[in-house]
Every structure is written in C-alpha cells, then in structure tokens.
C-alpha cells in the first residue's frame, strides 16, 4: 500500500494530494466495492510514510499529526 501511495503521488503535481480511497482503489484488483476494505490499510500506510518523512497527512490543506486526525484526510508529499 505504501508503494501505491508513493506511485500515485509521483504522478501528481508537486503539492497535490490524494485521498486514501485513491490508494485503496488503485490497490484493489476487483471491480466491486471491495476496495473499501483497504481504506484502513491505506490510512495506516500513510501514517507509516509520515513516520518515514515521505508524506504529510493534511486536513483542510494543513498538515496534521497522524494521531490528531478526525474525519477525512488527504495525503501529499512531504515538503
């Protein structure tokens, strides 16, 4: 999942972000709603990538600590 997140971000403009659902959908190989089961793994992978200094988790365009998030998040390359 981490590789999927990084690959998606490489295809985006600098400063652009993705939703964890983008990563979940990209990683899922079916054509049904099974990607939803990958949402928590996508969020966990994003948290790990924050720890590695690769990405930031944002809410309303501002970086937030992974343990402080509530609600929808976005993922972007670390600045």
């Amino acid at each position: 999942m981490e590789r999927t997140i990084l690959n998606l971000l490489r295809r985006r403009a600098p400063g652009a972000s993705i939703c964890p659902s983008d990563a979940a959908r990209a990683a899922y190989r079916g054509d049904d709603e099974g990607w939803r089961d990958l949402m928590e793994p996508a969020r966990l992978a994003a948290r790990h990538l924050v720890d590695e200094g690769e990405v930031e988790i944002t809410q309303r365009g501002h970086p937030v600590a992974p343990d402080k998030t509530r609600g929808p998040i976005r993922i972007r390359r670390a600045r």
Side-chain angles (χ1 to χ4, degrees), residues 55-72:
V55 304
E56 296 175 323
I57 291 176
T58 65
Q59 289 188 306
R60 297 187 174 138
H62 301 286
V64 293
D67 60 338
K68 302 294 183 193
T69 61
R70 287 186 47 116

Side-chain angles (χ1 to χ4, degrees), residues 18-55:
I18 63 168
C19 179
S21 67
D22 296 328
R25 289 172 199 232
Y28 186 64
R29 298 293 175 219
D31 59 358
D32 57 12
E33 297 290 312
W35 63 268
R36 293 179 185 280
D37 292 336
L38 297 178
M39 286 296 293
E40 189 57 26
R43 289 184 188 103
L44 291 173
R47 288 182 185 111
H48 183 255
L49 289 169
V50 167
D51 292 342
E52 297 293 316
E54 296 282 338
V55 304

Side-chain angles (χ1 to χ4, degrees), residues 1-10 49 54-55:
M1 189 63 71
E2 292 171 22
R3 185 177 305 138
T4 299
I5 290 170
L6 294 174
N7 286 338
L8 288 170
L9 288 172
R10 280 187 200 103
L49 289 169
E54 296 282 338
V55 304

